[in-house]
Amino acid sequence: NDMMYVIPIDFATPAFDETLALRRKILRIPLGLSFELKDIAQEYQDYHLACYSAEAELLACLVLTVKDYKHIKMRQVAVDDTIQSKGVGTFLVKACEDFCRNLGFERIVLNARDTAVEFYEKLNYDKVGEAFEEVTIKHFKMEKVLKQEA
């Protein structure tokens, strides 16, 4: 994919600030929402993955929150609006699955906006239960079992 790469980035670094700006632009501003400082402060214990172009431009990012030793939650998935539907999100999610598998997690869970359900279904995530509201939008809980590579 034109030499994209995904790497973990550290909390409270310039790279983290850049992902936060992307998340704000894609996930918050369109809903008229912003981030609370206290919410961001909680993220120091999360994993942060960023997808960059060969030219080191930030294309997409996500946050992973450990639920327990088997389950990890994927959240705050943001792909720059100028390059959506070009495979970047898929590339990021697959890299994320490898990352989680390498850490020994058995299952990824997420809350998908209804507009993103189809995207995750193509990547073999399953809907769990009924729709619910979150940040004013209809969401579905989804999950995927990570098969350990033989």
Side-chain angles (χ1 to χ4, degrees), residues 75-94:
R75 55 189 201 83
Q76 292 284 301
V77 179
V79 177
D80 197 306
D81 51 358
T82 58
I83 48 152
Q84 285 174 8
S85 306
K86 300 231 185 342
V88 176
T90 299
F91 184 80
L92 174 61
V93 169
K94 286 182 173 168

Side-chain angles (χ1 to χ4, degrees), residues 32-145:
L33 299 171
S34 60
F35 287 112
E36 296 292 323
L37 208 53
K38 62 173 173 31
D39 299 334
I40 299 306
Q42 307 279 306
E43 292 190 354
Y44 74 91
Q45 52 207 344
D46 292 335
Y47 294 103
H48 298 270
L49 296 185
C51 180
Y52 295 95
S53 70
E55 293 75 42
E57 292 168 292
L58 178 65
L59 305 176
C61 60
L62 57 76
V63 180
L64 292 164
T65 301
V66 175
K67 290 296 177 198
D68 58 43
Y69 72 98
K70 287 185 177 174
H71 298 82
I72 193 161
K73 182 175 184 178
M74 186 195 311
R75 55 189 201 83
Q76 292 284 301
V77 179
V79 177
D80 197 306
D81 51 358
T82 58
I83 48 152
Q84 285 174 8
S85 306
K86 300 231 185 342
V88 176
T90 299
F91 184 80
L92 174 61
V93 169
K94 286 182 173 168
C96 166
E97 290 170 4
D98 290 339
F99 180 81
C100 293
R101 201 179 279 118
N102 289 338
L103 289 171
F105 290 98
E106 294 175 14
R107 189 178 298 245
I108 294 180
V109 298
L110 59 92
N111 294 339
R113 293 180 178 194
D114 62 351
T115 52
V117 166
E118 200 179 318
F119 167 80
Y120 289 109
E121 285 179 335
K122 282 187 187 138
L123 291 165
N124 300 312
Y125 286 77
D126 296 313
K127 274 199 282 199
V128 183
E130 299 300 308
F132 62 93
E133 286 255 313
E134 194 173 82
V135 293
T136 72
I137 298 180
K138 192 161 122 181
H139 281 71
F140 286 91
K141 187 174 166 136
M142 300 187 80
E143 62 175 41
K144 179 174 185 173
V145 175

